[in-house]
């Protein structure tokens, strides 16, 4: 499923994910900086993931763990530092 938000593409297509960018950001985060590359890749494979893209550049990411029926857990949400303040994440 793809959405256009201004000049950004929001997509759940895992083939578009820049895994290197996701790993890089998570390695700098306070909540995931000790995760191995293998664990990050497995978590992506086992979750519903959304990337936010400006052209060819991935600027955001979110991962959803769900039972596909009654609950979900939104996690590993980030917007690259250079793109914060663009109203890409709302409360």
């Amino acid at each position: 499923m793809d959405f256009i938000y201004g000049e950004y593409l929001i997509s759940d297509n895992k083939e578009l994910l820049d895994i290197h960018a996701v790993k890089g950001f998570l390695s700098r985060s306070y909540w995931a900086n000790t995760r191995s590359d293998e664990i990050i890749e497995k978590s992506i494979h086992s979750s519903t993931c959304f990337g936010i893209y400006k052209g060819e550049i991935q600027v955001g990411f979110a991962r959803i763990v769900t039972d596909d029926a009654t609950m979900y857990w939104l996690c590993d949400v980030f917007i690259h530092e250079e793109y914060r303040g663009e109203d890409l994440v709302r409360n």
Side-chain angles (χ1 to χ4, degrees):
M1 184 177 329
D2 291 349
F3 304 94
I4 301 296
Y5 181 75
E7 58 188 311
Y8 295 92
L9 169 67
I10 302 169
S11 178
D12 65 350
N13 183 347
K14 289 183 185 177
E15 292 180 16
L16 296 177
L17 291 174
D18 179 345
I19 301 298
H20 180 73
V22 173
K23 289 177 185 178
F25 189 90
L26 291 177
S27 73
R28 296 189 310 272
S29 73
Y30 68 87
W31 69 89
N33 61 9
T34 60
R35 290 184 199 163
S36 68
D37 287 354
E38 180 180 90
I39 293 296
I40 292 171
E41 290 173 17
K42 185 174 182 178
S43 70
I44 290 170
H45 175 74
S46 301
S47 303
T48 300
C49 299
F50 288 88
I52 302 176
Y53 308 90
K54 185 174 183 180
E56 299 292 317
I57 300 168
Q58 183 170 348
V59 302
F61 176 79
R63 189 167 66 84
I64 300 171
V65 181
T66 182
D67 65 4
D68 290 324
T70 61
M71 61 76 65
Y72 71 91
W73 177 43
L74 179 64
C75 53
D76 293 339
V77 177
F78 72 81
I79 301 295
H80 190 283
E81 295 90 342
E82 293 180 27
Y83 296 90
R84 292 181 186 168
E86 300 286 325
D87 202 25
L88 295 171
V89 177
R90 295 179 180 214
N91 294 328

